[in-house]
Amino acid sequence: PITQPAEHATMASAPQLDTVPTTALLDELRKRLDENKKRMILVGPPGSGKGTQAPIIKDRFCLCHLATGDMLRAAVAAGTEMGKAADKVMKSGGLVSDEIVVGIIKEAIAQPECSQGFILDGFPRTVAQAEKLDAMLAEKGAKIDNVVEMKVDDELLVTRITGRLVHPASGRSYHKTFRPPKVPMCDDETGDPLIQRADDNEDTLRKRLDAFHKQTAPVVDHYKQKGVFAQVDAAQKPETVKGAIMKILTST
């Protein structure tokens, strides 16, 4: 008998693409594209450097950066369904419910700029919020891939934040210790006086940090149980912190 060459046999046994239903091909394509997405939560107290690292992560992975406050304002301005609901609550002096915030996140991640994934900043703050977020993503066949906590000792945060100085007109920032202006309390470019924000004082900061730790610990435990949590030492230089975060995100 004539033996068929091995490579010919392999080719003959391979499925022909023209016999595979289009829907099955599209499902496989979506699955493979979805594997490259990053859906992450960036956790860190005031002054931990989230504002420095989030844009770097965003650019590296083509993600959208979803900060809760910014999202609320954008949804209200755009007049989306959830934005209108949030506006009504805020105008009455109430607190925006978890359902509305999760709804706004759902609207945001459906936008083209979020097609490769997102960075959530400032949400979830409670386990109940985390569970609602998980349920909403599960409906879309998705989940949170990474939760990265930027850990900094409270005493260093107090030094970082209470020393911040700002030029109100431009938003340029300085620091009494780490980045002092050339002339004390004056903007380098205009000579205008610098200010210290009212909430950048030690008493206010310690209250904010206490609230942050109490809120965050249960949320961190929630995601530890899911195996997606990692922590970085954010007291290091920004470039070192960036390297640690990239190592986490590229290895998962």
Side-chain angles (χ1 to χ4, degrees):
I2 299 172
T3 303
Q4 197 177 42
E7 64 174 6
H8 183 76
T10 303
M11 288 176 65
S13 62
Q16 297 299 307
L17 285 181
D18 57 6
T19 65
V20 179
T22 304
T23 52
L25 287 172
L26 288 173
D27 286 344
E28 179 64 20
L29 180 60
R30 285 192 201 99
K31 180 182 174 184
R32 295 194 182 193
L33 288 172
D34 198 56
E35 286 171 355
N36 295 322
K37 289 185 178 181
K38 285 281 176 195
R39 305 173 192 88
M40 70 171 292
I41 299 169
L42 197 57
V43 180
S48 60
K50 285 189 302 177
T52 299
Q53 299 299 331
I56 296 171
I57 300 167
K58 174 185 173 180
D59 291 345
R60 167 65 177 77
F61 296 99
C62 299
L63 309 179
C64 59
H65 180 203
L66 303 176
T68 315
D70 294 342
M71 275 192 300
L72 278 169
R73 285 187 287 273
V76 170
T80 67
E81 183 182 345
M82 287 294 155
K84 288 174 183 174
D87 191 39
K88 185 177 179 181
V89 173
M90 289 189 289
K91 281 179 177 173
S92 68
L95 287 172
V96 178
S97 70
D98 293 348
E99 285 78 12
I100 290 176
V101 177
V102 171
I104 287 172
I105 293 170
K106 186 176 182 179
E107 288 178 342
I109 64 177
Q111 300 305 308
E113 60 266 29
C114 294
S115 61
Q116 291 305 304
F118 56 81
I119 309 166
L120 269 177
D121 178 356
F123 189 90
R125 294 183 183 227
T126 66
V127 173
Q129 290 176 347
E131 289 172 343
K132 286 182 173 66
L133 174 66
D134 292 345
M136 181 271 285
L137 290 173
E139 287 174 5
K140 303 168 81 66
K143 63 181 179 61
I144 293 295
D145 303 301
N146 299 95
V147 177
V148 177
E149 181 182 15
M150 298 180 65
K151 188 77 172 175
V152 187
D153 181 74
D154 282 1
E155 295 308 312
L156 177 56
L157 290 173
V158 169
T159 303
R160 280 183 180 181
I161 291 180
T162 57
R164 289 198 298 205
L165 301 169
V166 180
H167 179 236
S170 68
R172 279 188 290 276
S173 61
Y174 301 84
H175 194 279
K176 292 175 184 176
T177 304
F178 305 125
R179 189 174 177 268
K182 294 171 184 174
V183 177
M185 295 304 294
C186 293
D187 178 50
D188 286 353
E189 294 190 24
T190 64
D192 293 344
L194 301 176
I195 65 163
Q196 186 166 26
R197 290 195 178 104
D199 59 354
D200 281 355
N201 65 78
E202 186 169 344
D203 287 344
T204 303
L205 175 60
R206 288 195 183 278
K207 287 175 184 173
R208 288 170 69 196
L209 289 172
D210 186 52
F212 172 80
H213 294 314
K214 284 177 180 174
Q215 280 187 330
T216 304
V219 176
V220 163
D221 287 342
H222 172 79
Y223 285 110
K224 275 182 180 176
Q225 291 169 17
K226 293 181 177 291
V228 295
F229 175 80
Q231 190 181 81
V232 298
D233 177 4
Q236 304 171 94
K237 291 180 179 179
E239 195 63 26
T240 306
V241 175
K242 171 191 166 185
I245 293 174
M246 291 302 165
K247 186 175 180 181
I248 291 165
L249 297 181
T250 53
S251 64
T252 54

